[in-house]
Amino acid sequence: MTAPAATIASRTEDRAVGLWTDAFHRMRRSPSAIVGSVIVGFFLFVAIFAPFLAPFDPARGVLADSYLPPFTGEHLFGTNIQGQDVLSRIVFGARLTLGIAVLSVVIGVTVGSFLGALAGFFRGWVDAVIMRGVDIMLSIPGLLFAIAVVTWLGRGVVQIAVAIAILNVPIFARLLRASLLSLREADYVVAARSVGVRGPTLLLRHMLPNAIGPLIVQATLALATAVVDAAALGFLGLGPPDPATPEWGMMLSDTYRYLNDAIWLAFFPGVAIVVSVFGFNLLGDGMREALDPRLRR
Amino acid sequence: MGKFILRRLLLLIPILLGLTVLIFLFIRLLPGDPASAILGERGTPEAIERVRNALGLDRPLIDQYLEYVGGLLRFDLGTSFLTNRDVTADFLQRFPATIELTAAAMIFALGLGIPLGMITAKRRGSWFDTAGTLVSLVGISIPIFFLGLMLKWLFAIQFPILPDSGRIDLIDYGFPRVTNFMTVDALLAGELGGFMDALRHLILPGIALGTIPLAIIMRITRASVIDVMNEDYVRTANAKGLSSSVVDGRHVLRNALLPVVTVIGLQLGLLLGGAILTETIFGWGGVGKWIYDAVVNNDYQVIQSGVLVLALIFVLVNLAVDVSYAFLNPRIRYS
C-alpha cells in the first residue's frame, strides 16, 4: 500500500515545483510584481540597515535646530519640534512599522491557517465551532477590535502585532478552509484517499501544497493592511512608547497640531506609509496574477 | 426566500449571544478600574469600594452579565459610568452623525467608482485604463488619517475654501436638532443656507473616508464589467444591432453590478472602523470617536453596548446584502 502512495506523492511534488518555477517566470514578466518587489525590497533594506543609512541619531534633538524646513540644510526632510532629524526617524521607524506588520502577518497566517485547516479537514462540530467564532470576530469593526486588544495587552511591539494578527486570523481561517473544501473533491485527492492515504499525510502532502498559492498572495496583501493598521494605532496614540524608534503613524499624530506651520512633519512619514503599502499591494497583485492557474494563458 | 431570511435571522442569535459574552468578559480584562477612573486622584480605597458597590461591579460576574443582556433585550443600554448619561440617548444622538458621514463617503465612492470602473473596462489596455488602475492602487494604499490630514491642510488651511472640522457653523445655524441628521434638520427648519453649510462640512471627511472604498469599487466594477462583456448574451445583444448605450446600460452594467453589491456590504463594516479615524481628525461628533474615547477611558457601559450595536448593524447590513443579491440575480435562489 505504501508504494502507490509514494509515487503519487512524488508526482504531486513534481507538479508543485512546476507551478513555482512557472509562477516565478510569470512574475518576472509582470511589471507590477517587479516594481512591487523593488519597493518592498527597498523598505526592507532600509529597515535592516537603518543604523548605517540614517544620517543622524533619531533620538538626539538639538533644540536650536527645531522646525527646520526640508531641503534646506543638512536635514533633508527637516526637523521636528525637538530638533530631531525627520529622515533619520523615518529610517528607524521603518524597523518598527514593518517589523510589527511582518510579525502580525506571521502570527495571523499561522493561527488562521491552523484553525482553517482544522475546520476544513475535520468538518463536523469542529468546523461549526471554529467558523461561528470567525463570524463573531468578523462582526466587530477591525480597528476597534485592535484598539481594545492594545488597551488590554499594552503598547509593546509584540502586543500590537498580536492585536493586528487577531484581525487577520478569520481571513486566513476562511481562506484555507474554503481551499481545502474544494480540494477534497479534486481528482488527485480522491485518488490518494482511495489508495489509503489518510490523516496528516493527506492534508500535508497532497492538499496543503495546492492551497498555499492563494495563502501567499493573501499574506502579501495582509502586509499592506498591517502597515496601515500599525500606523493607525500609532496615530491614535497606541503605538510603542519608545522615543528612539518612532513608529510612522505616531510621527503623524505627534505633529498634526502643527499642521499650519510644519506640514513636512506629517507629509514625509505619511509618504513612507503610502509608498510601502503601495509596494506590498503591487507585489500582491502581481503574485496573484502569477500564481492563479486560471489566469494562465 | 422567506425561509432563507428566517434561517439567517435565527443564525444571528448564537452570533449575538457569543458577542455579548466576548465583549462582556473582554472589557473586564481591560487594565484599570472604572471606579478609580471616575474618582481619579481622590480615590481612597474606601471611596473606590463605595463606587464599585454603587455601580454593581462587586457583584458576581454572572449577575452583571444577566443584567447586561436583560437590559439589551429591553433596549436599555444602561448609563455611562463616567458621564452618568443614558447610553441609548447618547448613541441615538451620535449615530446619525456617523450615518451621514458614511453615506457621504459611500455616495462619493459609488458615484465615481462605478463610472470609472466601467470606462476603464471599456477602454481596457489604453493609457486611461493603465493610469486608472495605478491610481486606484494608490488610493487603496493611502491611510485614512494621512489623506484626511493632507486634505485638511490643503483645502482648509493652505487654501481655506472648506471648513476644517465640525458638522456645521454653530454660530450662524442654531436651528433645532430634531433628527440629528444635520442636513435633514436644516431642511426641516427651512434653513437652505444651513443645509449648504452642512454639505460643505461633509466634503472633506466624506472624501477621506470614501477614497479606499472608491478604489475598491472601481477595481471590482472594472473586473466584473470585463467578465460580463465576454458573455454570450452581450455578443447577442450587439449582434441584434442594439445601440451600445443600451447594451452597456441594460445588459452589461446590470449584470456587472452584482459583485459590487457584495463589496458595498463589506465596505460598510470597514467604514464604521474608518469612522474612528475620520471623526478624530475632523472633530466629527459620531459614534466612532465616542466608542474610542470609551475604550481609552474604561467606560464599560458604553463599550459593551456601543460595540454590540455596531456589530449588530454590521451583520444586519450583510444579511440585507445577501438578500438583495438574491433579488438582483435570478440565477441565485436561496431555499
Side-chain angles (χ1 to χ4, degrees):
Chain A
M1 273 319 260
T2 44
T7 331
I8 289 166
S10 66
R11 205 169 291 157
T12 327
E13 271 165 18
D14 284 349
R15 274 181 51 188
V17 169
L19 174 73
W20 292 116
T21 322
D22 186 45
F24 183 67
H25 283 301
R26 288 164 54 83
M27 273 178 66
R28 279 200 315 196
R29 274 182 278 125
S30 146
S32 48
I34 293 171
V35 178
S37 325
V38 169
I39 296 176
V40 168
F42 169 76
F43 277 98
L44 290 181
F45 179 81
V46 168
I48 293 167
F49 296 103
F52 306 101
L53 295 171
F56 294 90
D57 177 350
R60 197 183 65 109
V62 181
L63 284 178
D65 287 348
S66 65
Y67 282 142
L68 290 179
F71 308 121
T72 45
E74 48 185 356
H75 298 281
L76 191 61
F77 287 178
T79 58
N80 66 8
I81 184 172
Q82 289 153 317
Q84 296 164 320
D85 181 55
V86 172
L87 174 61
S88 306
R89 291 176 75 74
I90 292 177
V91 167
F92 272 88
R95 296 190 142 186
L96 211 49
T97 307
L98 297 182
I100 292 174
V102 170
L103 186 59
S104 74
V105 171
V106 169
I107 301 173
V109 170
T110 314
V111 178
S113 313
F114 180 71
L115 292 176
L118 284 184
F121 193 72
F122 290 109
R123 311 291 308 275
W125 66 268
V126 181
D127 187 22
V129 169
I130 291 176
M131 293 328 280
R132 285 300 80 72
V134 163
D135 285 345
I136 292 175
M137 291 175 72
L138 283 176
S139 64
I140 300 178
L143 186 59
L144 200 58
F145 209 141
I147 291 170
V149 175
V150 173
T151 322
W152 170 34
L153 294 177
R155 288 164 55 193
V157 170
V158 179
Q159 286 91 327
I160 294 171
V162 167
I164 299 170
I166 292 178
L167 307 186
N168 278 319
V169 165
I171 299 173
F172 287 103
R174 276 197 168 177
L175 183 70
L176 195 62
R177 173 179 177 270
S179 305
L180 291 183
L181 286 189
S182 65
L183 282 176
R184 283 175 77 89
E185 312 305 327
D187 289 343
Y188 57 87
V189 175
V190 176
R193 209 174 329 160
S194 68
V195 294
V197 184
R198 286 280 184 274
T201 317
L202 184 67
L203 179 66
L204 295 176
R205 298 202 73 161
H206 299 269
M207 294 171 81
L208 273 187
N210 290 288
I212 213 149
L215 214 60
I216 292 176
V217 172
Q218 188 59 46
T220 313
L221 296 172
L223 279 169
T225 12
V227 170
V228 175
D229 289 339
L233 286 173
F235 178 75
L236 289 171
L238 298 170
D242 178 0
T245 39
E247 196 277 323
W248 288 343
M250 290 180 87
M251 293 180 71
L252 271 163
S253 80
D254 284 348
T255 58
Y256 91 94
R257 280 177 295 273
Y258 318 112
L259 220 50
N260 320 16
D261 329 297
I263 182 66
W264 65 88
L265 294 183
F267 183 75
F268 292 112
V271 168
I273 300 172
V274 174
V275 176
S276 59
V277 172
F278 180 69
F280 283 121
N281 275 330
L282 214 52
L283 182 60
D285 261 19
M287 277 168 49
R288 176 169 27 216
E289 281 161 30
L291 285 170
D292 190 344
R294 283 175 309 163
L295 294 172
R296 223 175 284 187
R297 258 159 262 148
Chain B
M1 195 66 199
K3 249 176 149 181
F4 164 73
I5 298 177
L6 190 71
R7 212 185 59 201
R8 287 288 306 261
L9 282 174
L10 287 178
L11 204 63
L12 283 184
I13 296 174
I15 291 185
L16 289 175
L17 265 181
L19 257 178
T20 56
V21 175
L22 190 78
I23 296 170
F24 178 83
L25 289 178
F26 191 86
I27 57 176
R28 274 160 183 79
L29 292 170
L30 290 176
D33 173 58
S36 34
I38 294 168
L39 292 170
E41 300 289 313
R42 298 166 290 151
T44 61
E46 297 80 45
I48 288 179
E49 205 41 55
R50 264 202 314 280
V51 173
R52 285 182 61 84
N53 181 269
L55 297 174
L57 289 172
D58 54 351
R59 290 162 47 211
L61 274 185
I62 185 76
D63 284 7
Q64 293 185 42
Y65 176 75
L66 288 177
E67 193 188 310
Y68 162 52
V69 175
L72 288 175
L73 291 176
R74 283 177 275 118
F75 296 102
D76 171 14
L77 302 182
T79 309
S80 160
F81 291 166
L82 278 185
T83 60
N84 216 10
R85 289 165 57 94
D86 185 37
V87 176
T88 317
D90 267 4
F91 180 83
L92 290 178
Q93 195 207 330
R94 279 158 219 265
F95 193 50
T98 302
I99 297 182
E100 213 166 30
L101 175 61
T102 311
M106 220 56 205
I107 290 169
F108 171 70
L110 289 173
L112 272 177
I114 291 177
L116 282 177
M118 184 94 187
I119 296 170
T120 47
K122 295 275 289 181
R123 301 197 193 161
R124 192 181 177 190
S126 68
W127 67 267
F128 186 82
D129 179 31
T130 315
T133 310
L134 210 63
V135 169
S136 70
L137 204 58
V138 175
I140 291 176
S141 310
I142 299 185
I144 294 172
F145 50 89
F146 180 55
L147 182 61
L149 287 181
M150 289 302 120
L151 286 172
K152 196 168 158 171
W153 177 75
L154 196 60
F155 295 110
I157 294 172
Q158 207 66 6
F159 305 100
I161 49 175
L162 288 168
D164 68 338
S165 67
R167 297 176 63 197
I168 198 153
D169 188 332
L170 291 169
I171 297 165
D172 287 353
Y173 302 106
F175 51 78
R177 315 292 196 243
V178 186
T179 60
N180 282 313
F181 289 94
M182 211 51 93
T183 46
V184 176
D185 285 348
L187 288 179
L188 284 179
E191 284 264 19
L192 201 61
F195 177 71
M196 296 310 289
D197 193 51
L199 285 186
R200 275 163 40 85
H201 278 82
L202 274 167
I203 295 177
L204 291 184
I207 293 176
L209 188 56
T211 294
I212 291 177
L214 160 67
I216 293 176
I217 286 168
M218 178 180 156
R219 283 160 62 97
I220 301 282
T221 309
R222 175 178 177 275
S224 174
V225 166
I226 288 174
D227 273 356
V228 173
M229 281 198 311
N230 292 327
E231 292 281 350
D232 289 341
Y233 56 79
V234 173
R235 197 182 318 128
T236 311
N238 276 320
K240 277 197 300 188
L242 294 179
S243 73
S244 68
S245 62
V246 173
V247 176
D248 288 350
R250 198 174 295 165
H251 296 270
V252 176
L253 197 57
R254 269 198 196 176
N255 287 295
L257 284 184
L258 285 170
V260 180
V261 173
T262 315
V263 174
I264 294 171
L266 292 173
Q267 286 306 307
L268 272 175
L270 289 178
L271 284 179
L272 289 175
I276 298 175
L277 295 162
T278 318
E279 288 173 6
T280 307
I281 295 168
F282 290 99
W284 196 266
V287 282
K289 184 73 167 57
W290 179 58
I291 293 183
Y292 168 70
D293 288 341
V295 172
V296 174
N297 295 321
N298 257 315
D299 198 343
Y300 284 10
Q301 206 64 42
V302 173
I303 312 172
Q304 65 185 17
S305 307
V307 175
L308 190 78
V309 175
L310 281 190
L312 176 66
I313 291 165
F314 182 48
V315 286
L316 285 178
V317 165
N318 274 308
L319 175 62
V321 167
D322 284 356
V323 172
S324 66
Y325 207 72
F327 274 113
L328 290 171
N329 190 353
R331 280 169 298 187
I332 299 174
R333 281 287 175 251
Y334 302 108
S335 50

